[in-house]
DNA sequence: CGCGATTTGTGCGTGCGTTCACAAGCGCCT
DNA sequence: AGGCGCTTGTGAACGCACGCACAAATCGCG
């Protein structure tokens, strides 16, 4: 949750009827959000020489309840063996298939500033099924530069270049003031999935998914619990134990 | 959701009974997660000269349902005026108080690499109630360097320095292989709130909150929906059919 | 060949979160 | 002063998600 997800399906014209539902049962959103975590844990287990894994062990590695994990896997018609567990390689293939990671998706990164630069050089993209295929920025000092083997193009060329580059997902790392305009361009370029790092709400047409990552929000949520802890029993009360401020 | 949150309270010894519930009613987690978004929207409205705002308008600015917003605000004993709306400045103060943002919390950043460097220079911290007070890394080439007015210290000094610096929240931006060790150090230093950017599950004692941000997971969730869309609607999908953007 | 140990898959109860819909309250206009 | 329109606050219904607990299935061993 916490991210806006434009409805999929429904609206578009006539009922799409047979969409080979056999292949893709309606996975609960909560399950979808956990599958990547399972996938990561599975890769980790595979790298450490394991062959099969029990739901209990995998759940521990992924930090979830084992019953929840089993139910999640059952949703995608999982192939576990009772009394044994799950075959890791098979499960990896299954999850990657469901998540659509069998084809490496192209990512366009817009805004190559502080954060964007770090993202452009991030190795975790490639190992997890993605490939940065295009960089865009508005700053003329950045346009033309090469970062990690990719040349930075001017953002005005986004709509022109993105489709040809095979962009499937757009990542916005510009200041909030530019985010909506960039989102509009991405949509115009046919991108239907956007990851937004700018602290603002984006308006997009139906059928376009937006997920948002906001560092400050995460910190503020932590702050709330911190505040709560110090107000309550007060565990160790670290550092400058400045007490609560009454209203 | 999506993040592991170690239980607060409960476990520790005898039932903590009275924790002055008068000041802080038990806010639902979902509400807490949305308050920062409301806060951001409110600041934006205040900056554009607004004085009061209706739940409908604020909800639109925050990208949520208006009924949900009203219920959220009602949980913290809000001060709206029927027929008028909410006074923005009052609401900002109220939310900041609940989130514990009246005192600026110190943040320690561990791992000043690609991502950590971007975070260290991020202005959004300061404007949203936080202050980076310490940087740590294990790389001797980085230790001693000054970034944004802060000197990078060796991570071995974390337990020694963090408490004195008034660190309330620890941010982990190291490789996953080092994350658990860093988390242990943060806990040893008395930090009870951790934001983890490394793609791994952290084990921490009860009473310590961990929130996780994993870029690849976000992309994979988007990938799922992308996969789903292309499987359903067929070719029609990506058409440049730019539709009107709801404003 | 049968039995026990183990682990999956799931039916079910419970609690949380979301949403609708409406009564109560407030300001403003006449 | 009184009524009218607008907005809040919330009661209630609904749906989803979580986790327990157990039956079914499989393997290994005696
Ligand atoms: N730096 C961080 O650690 C961090 C953390 C969380 C969120 N964010 C958010 O991420 C965004 C980027 O942060 P940053 O620190 O990298 O800022 P930055 O100023 O360093 O980089 C922004 C980049 O976007 C480019 N840009 C501006 N307008 C543009 C446009 N219309 N089209 C294309 N590019 C444009 C700028 O030229 C610049 O290179 C901000 O919204 C910020 O709030 C940053
Ligand atoms: N770069 C990104 O855009 C990005 C995006 C998402 C997630 N991440 C994750 O964030 C983490 C950091 O990514 P990065 O690209 O900055 O990597 P990086 O290698 O550039 O930086 C890691 C830093 O951590 C330091 N370090 C290593 N071991 C340490 C230890 N024990 N104690 C303290 N510091 C230590 C290293 O010296 C280095 O400076 C990784 O886990 C990565 O998966 C990065």
């Amino acid at each position: 949750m916490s991210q806006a997800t434009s409805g999929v399906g429904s609206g578009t014209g006539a009922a799409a009827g047979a969409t080979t539902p056999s292949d893709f049962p309606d996975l609960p959103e909560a399950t979808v959000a956990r599958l990547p975590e399972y996938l990561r844990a599975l890769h980790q287990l595979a790298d450490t020489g394991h062959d099969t894994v029990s739901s209990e062990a995998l759940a521990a590695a992924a930090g979830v309840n084992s019953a929840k994990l089993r139910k999640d896997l059952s949703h995608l018609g999982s192939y576990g063996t009772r009394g044994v567990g799950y075959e890791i390689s098979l499960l990896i293939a299954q999850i990657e298939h469901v998540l659509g990671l069998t084809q490496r998706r192209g990512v366009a990164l817009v805004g190559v500033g502080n954060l964007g630069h770090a993202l452009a050089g991030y190795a975790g993209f490639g190992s997890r099924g993605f490939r940065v295929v295009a960089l865009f920025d508005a700053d003329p000092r950045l346009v033309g530069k090469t970062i990690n083997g990719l040349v930075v193009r001017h953002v005005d060329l986004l709509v022109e270049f993105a489709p040809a580059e095979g962009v499937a997902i757009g990542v916005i790392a510009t200041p909030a003031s530019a985010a909506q305009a960039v989102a509009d361009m991405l949509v115009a370029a046919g991108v239907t999935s956007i990851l937004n790092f700018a602290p603002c709400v984006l308006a997009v047409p139906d059928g376009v998914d937006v997920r948002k990552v906001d560092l400050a929000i995460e910190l503020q949520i932590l702050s709330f619990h911190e505040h709560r802890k110090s107000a309550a029993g007060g565990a160790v009360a670290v550092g400058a134990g400045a007490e609560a401020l009454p209203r």
Side-chain angles (χ1 to χ4, degrees), chain A residues 5-12 187 191-192 203-209:
Chain A
T5 334
S6 299
V8 183
S10 61
T12 322
V187 169
V191 173
T192 55
V204 296
D206 275 7
V208 176
D209 285 343

Side-chain angles (χ1 to χ4, degrees), chain A residues 110-116 136-139 142 155 173-176 178 182 197-199 215:
Chain A
V110 189
V112 193
N114 238 336
L115 178 63
F136 297 98
D137 204 294
D139 189 334
L142 284 171
V155 69
T174 66
V182 169
F197 282 91
L215 175 50

Side-chain angles (χ1 to χ4, degrees), chain A residues 6 45 61 78 114 144 226 232 238:
Chain A
S6 299
L45 286 167
S78 82
N114 238 336
E226 197 67 28
V238 183

Side-chain angles (χ1 to χ4, degrees), chain A residues 28-233:
Chain A
E29 260 309 300
T31 295
V32 174
R34 281 187 296 266
L35 289 181
E37 192 68 48
Y38 301 156
L39 189 59
R40 191 197 49 75
L42 285 166
H43 274 126
Q44 189 179 339
L45 286 167
D47 288 347
T48 54
H50 292 73
D51 228 34
T52 62
V53 65
S54 70
S55 65
E56 200 71 45
L58 182 54
V64 301
N65 180 295
S66 68
K68 183 160 35 178
L69 177 128
R70 287 197 298 276
K71 186 157 290 185
D72 283 342
L73 294 186
S74 78
H75 280 135
L76 40 98
S78 82
Y79 291 86
T81 310
R82 292 156 123 102
V84 178
Y86 300 87
E87 188 187 337
I88 292 180
S89 61
L90 189 69
L91 202 48
I92 287 178
Q94 185 74 4
I95 294 179
E96 286 186 341
H97 175 233
V98 170
L99 291 179
L101 299 176
T102 44
Q103 56 171 304
R104 173 159 304 217
R105 296 187 185 272
V107 173
L109 186 51
V110 189
V112 193
N114 238 336
L115 178 63
H117 204 280
L119 294 176
Y122 182 41
F125 276 121
S127 58
R128 304 246 231 142
F130 302 92
R131 194 159 65 91
V132 181
V133 295
L135 306 178
F136 297 98
D137 204 294
D139 189 334
R141 288 167 300 181
L142 284 171
V143 173
K145 274 202 169 180
T146 296
I147 297 176
N148 223 32
L150 275 180
V151 63
V152 179
R153 295 220 178 77
H154 195 280
V155 69
D156 290 345
L157 303 176
L158 195 159
V159 181
E160 177 183 345
F161 272 84
E165 306 277 13
V167 171
I169 300 176
V171 175
I172 299 179
T174 66
S177 55
Q180 181 63 58
V182 169
D184 293 345
M185 285 187 239
L186 286 169
V187 169
V191 173
T192 55
S193 295
I194 296 176
L195 181 56
N196 179 31
F197 282 91
C200 64
V201 175
L202 295 180
V204 296
D206 275 7
V208 176
D209 285 343
V210 176
R211 293 191 68 83
K212 185 180 157 190
V213 174
D214 191 327
L215 175 50
I217 286 184
E218 301 301 324
L219 290 178
Q220 288 175 349
I221 294 173
L222 284 174
S223 173
F224 169 81
H225 292 298
E226 197 67 28
H227 188 35
R228 202 126 202 304
K229 287 182 225 167
S230 68

